[in-house]
Amino acid sequence: MRGQILVNGRSQKLAFGTSAYVTQDNVLIATLTVREAIYYSAQIQLPDTMSAAEKLARADDTVREMGLTGALDIRIGGRSSKGISGGQQKRLSICLDILTRPRLLFLDEPSSGLDSAASFHVMSRITSLAAREGMTVVAVVHQPCSEFFASNGYPCPPMRNPSDHFLRTVNKDFDKESEGLPCMTAQEAIDILVNSYKSSNTSEDANQEMRHINEMVSVLNLLHDRAMIGRNQAGFVSKTLVLTRRSFVNMYRDIGYYWLRLVIYVCISVCLGTIFYNVGYGPDSIQARSQMLMFIATLLTLMAIGGFPSFVEDMKIFRRERLNGHYGVTTFVISNTLSSTPYLLLNAVVPGAIAYYLTGLQRQIEHFVYFALVLCSCTMLVEALMMIVATIVPDFLMGIVTGAGIQGIMMLTSGFFQLPNNLPKIVWKYPMYYISFHKYALQGFYKNEFSGLVLQSNLGGQKTVSGEKVIAELFQVETGHSKWVDLAVLCGMIVIYRLLFVVIIKVIDMVKPMLLGVTFRCNTKCICGTPS
């Protein structure tokens, strides 16, 4: 798709603050109140040169302009929770993108899904705001004109929905269903309607207005050259802190994000701890310890994908706000990491402590601290992995299946189900064994638990065996480095996964328009080449 876009007669990019785009769907954070949503957005978008009081005043003015004062302390709500009405959500969506008083406001079907009264209020508020602020509004509104169709020989039959009638008239898919229509093809009807519009007074008035605008281009350039220059916004640190606080509040209020997961973790840890209760130091304790450690390193991290649906909603917010230039990918990644870390620590420490001490693993506090750190690192790794999956597969069911499949493969190559030396060298040993984070988690757990222990044994006629010998010979663990190196590798993988997310977003930004262009050209050729 190609063309030329001119702003005041000049070809230039639309920088932040000069334009805003309100999507058809209301992409909002359901757990926030109207007040919180608008205040957080004001702190992100408005420059640091404005004081906090000035930002709040701007937010309050915008709320009043869109008639949302009475709904300030009501949560936005969503599919699973009751909140503000559809009309209020639409007005709030507009509020969030007019805080900077953009010169151009693009609205994609602002009346979609609203009744006539709500549509009237939304459009009247936009009209008055645009007139007062000198704002240009470009809107797509589906309000077909019945009189125009009737005057050209296509009146809407009684008791039929006008929109259905118009589609039957102009949609070529309905050529075979010409009930109530003149015996002609949809293309002929389209030609009649287009030619009628071109010869109408409405078309002439529009053409005259466009000629008048073109004549005023030189004047507009002088008046608005500075107005179309990108405006300042909050700095990187300010955005990161505000986004972190907003994300933290959202995670706290969304039960499905971490709280439900915590409850399930605790239940599983109680089951795990009671099944392996006080394993002791007998011959069977070696297998029991390894099985318990592998289970908690895999199942609890595997269940971390339960927060995927909530994260997909976060990604929708991120895409909308990034589209309008509110912040970049790096800011989002840092704020998401900071806000989620306390919850991930909670989800690792509480269930981990239950399973750890019921099982009777090494009692020293430093051993449990290491155990909790590895467990937390694994959950952070899964979160980072699911960020990547959500970018590539933005569908709830398919994303969960994809994430579970990736983790399943990593579990199989971790060195537990098949010892490292027995893994097929091609693919499964190199590279899968070395890129599986379960490998480093399991090795760290083994070193942390077995090092320093003396266990009873019934192998090879020996009555006892050292923990170091168990992990080196029985489990084939790499003993050339300490357990802290395994933890460092896990932390490094967290950083790599987050950076990979940023890279994938950037690549998609570059590749997606090209793919859409190729698809469009191919479809155009196919349509043009189809015989009529």
Side-chain angles (χ1 to χ4, degrees):
M1 304 177 203
R2 296 172 180 154
Q4 186 180 22
I5 300 175
L6 303 178
V7 180
N8 289 341
R10 294 184 179 182
S11 178
Q12 64 183 94
K13 294 183 179 181
L14 296 175
F16 170 82
T18 65
S19 67
Y21 171 51
V22 181
T23 58
Q24 177 180 352
D25 298 327
N26 299 317
V27 184
L28 303 166
I29 302 178
T31 58
L32 299 182
T33 64
V34 173
R35 185 192 304 274
E36 290 170 335
I38 193 72
Y39 281 7
Y40 282 135
S41 191
Q43 293 176 64
I44 292 171
Q45 295 186 61
L46 299 178
D48 289 337
T49 53
M50 293 179 65
S51 65
E54 290 174 325
K55 292 183 179 181
L56 295 181
R58 173 69 66 83
D60 290 335
D61 292 341
T62 307
V63 166
R64 282 193 297 271
E65 288 165 348
M66 297 305 295
L68 288 172
T69 306
L72 276 175
D73 296 313
I74 302 176
R75 288 196 185 181
I76 296 170
R79 297 176 182 174
S80 59
S81 59
K82 186 178 180 181
I84 59 178
S85 67
Q88 290 172 323
Q89 289 188 17
K90 180 62 68 177
R91 280 181 277 163
L92 177 58
S93 297
I94 297 171
C95 270
L96 299 178
D97 286 312
I98 62 174
L99 285 165
T100 58
R101 300 300 188 262
R103 308 303 303 171
L104 288 172
L105 178 63
F106 296 94
L107 301 175
D108 187 0
E109 298 191 32
S111 60
S112 176
L114 306 181
D115 56 36
S116 57
S119 299
F120 172 78
H121 285 297
V122 169
M123 297 308 298
S124 62
R125 296 281 181 176
I126 294 171
T127 302
S128 60
L129 175 65
R132 185 170 62 256
E133 297 291 337
M135 185 186 301
T136 300
V137 179
V138 180
V140 176
V141 182
H142 288 178
Q143 297 292 341
C145 180
S146 300
E147 294 80 3
F148 177 73
F149 275 74
S151 64
N152 286 279
Y154 302 99
C156 180
M159 307 302 293
R160 175 174 291 176
N161 184 290
S163 297
D164 291 340
H165 168 68
F166 302 140
L167 283 176
R168 285 175 177 265
T169 305
V170 301
N171 196 325
K172 299 175 184 179
D173 295 336
F174 295 97
D175 275 347
K176 295 181 181 180
E177 302 178 14
S178 56
E179 177 186 356
L181 296 178
C183 295
M184 60 177 63
T185 64
Q187 185 59 55
E188 291 173 326
I190 293 171
D191 292 339
I192 291 174
L193 293 169
V194 170
N195 292 330
S196 175
Y197 173 76
K198 288 182 178 179
S199 61
S200 67
N201 292 332
T202 303
S203 176
E204 180 59 30
D205 292 341
N207 289 329
Q208 287 183 2
E209 186 172 354
M210 285 188 286
R211 284 194 293 268
H212 176 68
I213 292 174
N214 288 332
E215 293 172 358
M216 296 294 294
V217 163
S218 58
V219 179
L220 289 172
N221 284 334
L222 293 175
L223 294 175
H224 297 295
D225 266 352
R226 293 185 178 180
M228 300 312 294
I229 297 174
R231 301 178 184 178
N232 293 327
Q233 55 187 141
F236 175 80
V237 175
S238 298
K239 289 180 182 179
T240 302
L241 293 176
V242 173
L243 284 175
T244 301
R245 187 162 62 249
R246 188 182 73 175
S247 182
F248 186 89
V249 171
N250 180 42
M251 292 172 179
Y252 175 78
R253 293 177 181 172
D254 188 347
I255 296 177
Y257 221 125
Y258 290 112
W259 299 117
L260 181 60
R261 200 188 311 177
L262 177 61
V263 172
I264 296 175
Y265 283 178
V266 169
C267 293
I268 291 178
S269 296
V270 170
C271 297
L272 188 63
T274 50
I275 290 172
F276 291 97
Y277 180 72
N278 196 16
V279 293
Y281 301 93
D284 296 333
S285 67
I286 297 175
Q287 184 179 8
R289 290 171 191 270
S290 66
Q291 290 173 343
M292 180 272 180
L293 291 171
M294 179 60 185
F295 187 91
I296 201 166
T298 55
L299 183 66
L300 293 189
T301 53
L302 178 65
M303 290 185 60
I305 64 177
F308 184 73
S310 296
F311 187 74
V312 169
E313 295 299 318
D314 284 355
M315 287 295 293
K316 291 179 181 179
I317 302 295
F318 162 67
R319 290 190 182 98
R320 180 185 68 80
E321 294 180 333
R322 180 170 176 261
L323 177 68
N324 279 327
H326 296 179
Y327 51 85
V329 187
T330 304
T331 307
F332 172 75
V333 171
I334 294 175
S335 62
N336 179 269
T337 303
L338 293 176
S339 58
S340 63
T341 299
Y343 296 104
L344 293 174
L345 280 171
L346 182 65
N347 275 261
V349 172
V350 175
I354 294 172
Y356 189 91
Y357 287 106
L358 281 178
T359 305
L361 303 184
Q362 293 213 40
R363 299 288 180 175
Q364 294 87 344
I365 187 63
E366 60 269 19
H367 286 275
F368 173 71
V369 170
Y370 181 87
F371 174 84
L373 288 174
V374 171
L375 201 57
C376 182
S377 299
C378 288
T379 55
M380 291 184 71
L381 263 169
V382 176
E383 294 262 317
L385 173 64
M386 296 313 292
M387 287 176 69
I388 296 173
V389 173
T391 305
I392 302 173
V393 189
D395 176 80
F396 288 172
L397 181 59
M398 294 303 297
I400 291 175
V401 171
T402 302
I406 293 172
Q407 287 199 69
I409 294 174
M410 290 185 175
M411 291 178 194
L412 287 173
T413 57
S414 64
F416 178 82
F417 298 101
Q418 182 71 292
L419 290 175
N421 293 341
N422 296 334
L423 284 171
K425 296 295 187 293
I426 300 176
V427 178
W428 303 118
K429 183 70 177 289
Y430 306 101
M432 289 306 302
Y433 174 67
Y434 289 96
I435 64 176
S436 169
F437 70 86
H438 295 89
K439 170 215 171 185
Y440 302 98
L442 197 58
Q443 285 193 159
F445 279 157
Y446 282 163
K447 293 174 185 177
N448 184 59
E449 176 58 25
F450 286 95
S451 297
L453 291 183
V454 177
L455 304 164
Q456 297 179 17
S457 172
N458 53 13
L459 299 175
Q462 297 179 346
K463 292 184 177 180
T464 61
V465 61
S466 66
E468 288 79 4
K469 188 173 183 178
V470 168
I471 60 178
E473 298 181 6
L474 185 60
F475 298 146
Q476 297 179 5
V477 171
E478 299 169 357
T479 56
H481 56 268
S482 72
K483 63 183 181 180
W484 297 105
V485 173
D486 293 304
L487 178 60
V489 171
L490 290 174
C491 294
M493 293 179 75
I494 295 173
V495 176
I496 292 173
Y497 277 27
R498 299 277 176 169
L499 291 176
L500 186 59
F501 170 79
V502 176
V503 171
I504 291 175
I505 290 287
K506 299 291 187 181
V507 170
I508 290 177
D509 286 345
M510 293 186 294
V511 173
K512 189 175 181 179
M514 293 187 290
L515 293 177
L516 289 174
V518 171
T519 303
F520 175 77
R521 287 191 292 273
C522 290
N523 292 339
T524 302
K525 290 180 181 178
C526 291
I527 294 173
C528 294
T530 302
S532 57

